[in-house]
Amino acid sequence: MGPSRWSSLPLLLLLFFLSRPPGTSAAPQEDEIQCLPGLAKQPAFRQFSGYLRVSGTKRLHYWFVEAQRDPQSSPLVLWLNGGPGCSSLDGFLTEHGPFLIQPDGSTLEYNPYSWNLVANMLYLESPAGVGFSYSDDKAYGTNDTEVADDNFLALREFFRLFPEYGSNELFLTGESYAGVYIPTLATRVMQDPSMNLQGLAVGNGLSCYEQNDNSLVYFAYYHGLLGNRLWEALQASCCSGGRCNFYDNPNLNCTLRLQEVFHIVGDSGLNIYNLYAPCAGGVPGQIRFEKDVAVTHDLGNIFNRVPLKRARQQALLLRSGGPVRLDPPCTNTTAPSTYLNDPYVRKALHIPAEAPRWLLCSFEVSRGYKRLYSTMKDEYLKLLSAQRYRILVYNGDVDMACNFMGDEWFVDSLNQKVQVLRRPWLVADGTGEQVAGFVKEFANVAFLTIKGAGHMVPTDKPQAALAMFSRFLNREPY
């Protein structure tokens, strides 16, 4: 009887590992996703899901998908959703991940405009208490500084687990309250020479509360939402000397008028994330608690200085009672929630039993979150002073949560040298090139709009979003 056909297996395995490029075997095998439910066909690229330990108690969940072509030389891109307190898996499953969740809550379809066509994408659920991320002590009160520190430690842990990506170009990206998360993280990463930071991109970001509030009133008026009576009353009570203060104006009449603005923008049934999109579920009723659901009107990012609005919001948050779910307005979270809480999906993603049930946004994190910054100007100036990072601030131009005008004002306030005057940028479709938005370029920073997109740009305009993202990564003209 001849030798077993398995007798040479150890030698073959040794030759296999020796023949692989350095570092390619370092990825944690126990985190690799072998079979993801909901797909008709499993992907050719590798993907991983697991936990990054950032302290003795905190474990941040990540989902990492390798680039579809040449992952070894493609950039590594971190993505963070905002809130504060909302999951980055929303970006994965509904915006620019390789698979998009379908309305049935069980089926995934391949995304032809996935960002992992051009980059290795790391989706991090942060801070602890968001999505599948958790802390053993269940203490979920946090603040901007602690989150930046934890995200930095999570990145370091990722590179420990995946050292083969340590030399890849690194980009930090996100949207909404990641307008705070990303710059504060970047100022930490720029001090670590082991990380090959090349730049950051923030979509519809909260960059400055004052500019966001002041611009929103103009946005609402010029989009036909306020009417001349209210606009004239706002001018009379909130403006003087050619300057309007819709942010922290002590005039009681101004406060009352801003209450009217807030009701129209965030309380009347308009979709605050996309003015021209329908509101999922229809026009909502008044703030209410139904079983374990809290319905709120925004995540606290607009008109925080308006006293009546702030008191109303605090009263809502104090009535938590039992389990509470925090849903963004006009958003249907059923499909991703159904999918991610399926026991087979949790098993495929290596989610332990002690991890919480997945929710789009965490009420506990949002309620206990302390906002420490009023503007990101100092952080951007630190990054720009290095003169080595490229920065993109982009906005869908029909978002009201973090509107394009406020972010354009913010970028202008950085006082950088203009290199390319504001102009249209184009994307080709089946009929030829079309205007995708407008772009203005300064030294090391660009401001770009996406025409017809709301708060979640890749959801509304996926082709334009991918073109923008690819040109940003590759230093190509917009």
Side-chain angles (χ1 to χ4, degrees):
M1 184 175 180
S4 167
R5 62 192 179 104
W6 303 111
S7 60
S8 60
L9 182 60
L11 177 59
L12 291 172
L13 286 173
L14 177 62
L15 291 173
F16 170 73
F17 285 116
L18 288 176
S19 67
R20 300 185 75 185
T24 55
S25 63
Q29 294 181 6
E30 66 275 13
D31 287 358
E32 186 165 3
I33 299 172
Q34 301 297 336
C35 183
L36 187 64
L39 286 172
K41 181 182 179 182
Q42 295 300 308
F45 55 85
R46 294 197 303 170
Q47 53 177 332
F48 300 82
S49 170
Y51 284 84
L52 304 174
R53 187 188 292 268
V54 299
S55 73
T57 60
K58 295 178 184 175
R59 293 161 176 79
L60 300 188
H61 174 248
Y62 78 93
W63 193 338
F64 173 58
V65 288
E66 289 186 339
Q68 295 189 30
R69 293 186 293 271
D70 196 14
Q72 283 74 31
S73 62
S74 297
L76 173 69
V77 176
L78 171 73
W79 174 265
L80 296 173
N81 277 82
C86 295
S87 168
S88 299
L89 298 193
D90 187 46
F92 187 110
L93 289 174
T94 70
E95 295 188 64
H96 47 60
F99 328 113
L100 297 177
I101 186 67
Q102 300 304 295
D104 62 9
S106 62
T107 304
L108 300 176
E109 295 290 344
Y110 279 91
N111 178 6
Y113 303 108
S114 172
W115 284 11
N116 87 318
L117 286 166
V118 293
N120 301 289
M121 296 295 301
L122 171 61
Y123 297 83
L124 182 67
E125 296 198 278
S126 173
V130 171
F132 289 132
S133 296
Y134 67 98
S135 179
D136 292 334
D137 59 12
K138 294 181 171 56
Y140 295 127
T142 190
N143 60 59
D144 293 328
T145 299
E146 188 175 335
V147 169
D149 291 340
D150 286 348
N151 289 339
F152 175 67
L153 293 174
L155 264 181
R156 287 179 55 179
E157 177 68 1
F158 175 83
F159 285 122
R160 187 187 70 80
L161 295 176
F162 294 84
E164 62 269 34
Y165 289 101
S167 62
N168 292 52
E169 291 187 331
L170 172 64
F171 293 88
L172 309 177
T173 65
E175 74 185 13
S176 193
Y177 199 78
V180 175
Y181 291 160
I182 293 300
T184 53
L185 171 60
T187 56
R188 286 154 174 78
V189 173
M190 69 184 289
Q191 300 175 49
D192 186 339
S194 71
M195 297 188 193
N196 186 18
L197 180 64
Q198 295 295 310
L200 56 148
V202 174
N204 291 78
L206 182 62
S207 303
C208 173
Y209 287 93
E210 182 174 2
Q211 288 166 329
N212 194 46
D213 284 357
N214 280 332
S215 59
L216 177 56
V217 180
Y218 288 99
F219 180 100
Y221 176 63
Y222 288 113
H223 281 79
L225 307 185
L226 304 187
N228 288 332
R229 178 201 62 81
L230 178 53
W231 179 246
E232 290 168 2
L234 286 162
Q235 296 289 301
S237 58
C238 304
C239 306
S240 64
R243 181 180 179 274
C244 297
N245 177 8
F246 303 124
Y247 171 61
D248 58 357
N249 200 313
N251 185 306
L252 177 59
N253 286 327
C254 179
T255 295
L256 293 174
R257 301 293 81 75
L258 289 174
Q259 276 294 119
E260 292 186 60
V261 175
F262 176 75
H263 170 72
I264 293 167
V265 169
D267 217 12
S268 66
L270 292 174
N271 188 332
I272 193 172
Y273 299 122
N274 185 327
L275 173 59
Y276 300 129
C279 183
V283 175
Q286 294 183 343
I287 293 176
R288 64 193 185 277
F289 277 79
E290 295 180 351
K291 298 179 182 177
D292 67 336
V293 180
V295 180
T296 62
H297 295 262
D298 70 279
L299 298 181
N301 294 332
I302 60 172
F303 296 136
N304 272 326
R305 297 295 184 95
V306 178
L308 295 178
K309 182 254 181 176
R310 186 169 65 246
R312 186 164 171 246
Q313 184 182 56
Q314 289 173 346
L316 169 71
L317 293 176
L318 290 173
R319 291 183 53 205
S320 56
V324 176
R325 190 176 84 231
L326 182 66
D327 281 351
C330 296
T331 302
N332 186 347
T333 68
T334 301
S337 296
T338 300
Y339 180 77
L340 290 169
N341 288 308
D342 183 284
Y344 292 102
V345 174
R346 285 178 63 113
K347 183 177 180 181
L349 298 178
H350 314 117
I351 307 301
E354 58 267 28
R357 175 178 172 79
W358 190 89
L359 298 172
L360 176 59
C361 298
S362 166
F363 178 77
E364 288 298 318
V365 171
S366 180
R367 178 175 62 172
Y369 197 95
K370 291 183 173 57
R371 301 159 187 256
L372 303 180
Y373 295 90
S374 60
T375 177
M376 286 288 102
K377 187 171 183 177
D378 287 346
E379 281 59 42
Y380 275 89
L381 291 176
K382 286 178 190 174
L383 292 158
L384 289 167
S385 67
Q387 297 185 347
R388 55 175 296 199
Y389 307 116
R390 54 189 185 272
I391 299 174
L392 172 64
V393 176
Y394 66 92
N395 284 69
D397 65 7
V398 293
D399 174 33
M400 297 189 290
C402 296
N403 73 89
F404 80 91
M405 196 185 308
D407 275 327
E408 184 167 10
W409 290 356
F410 173 77
V411 173
D412 287 344
S413 76
L414 300 175
N415 294 317
Q416 301 300 296
K417 183 179 179 181
V418 177
Q419 291 186 332
V420 180
L421 294 174
R422 199 175 198 271
R423 62 172 177 81
W425 68 283
L426 309 177
V427 171
D429 67 6
T431 62
E433 289 193 319
Q434 301 289 339
V435 173
F438 294 84
V439 63
K440 178 166 50 178
E441 297 181 62
F442 305 81
N444 298 311
V445 59
F447 173 76
L448 180 146
T449 66
I450 299 88
K451 182 172 66 75
H455 196 65
M456 284 69 79
V457 169
T459 301
D460 295 334
K461 298 292 180 179
Q463 184 179 8
L466 177 59
M468 170 199 72
F469 181 63
S470 179
R471 294 173 197 179
F472 166 67
L473 294 183
N474 296 312
R475 295 181 181 268
E476 296 171 349
Y478 294 105

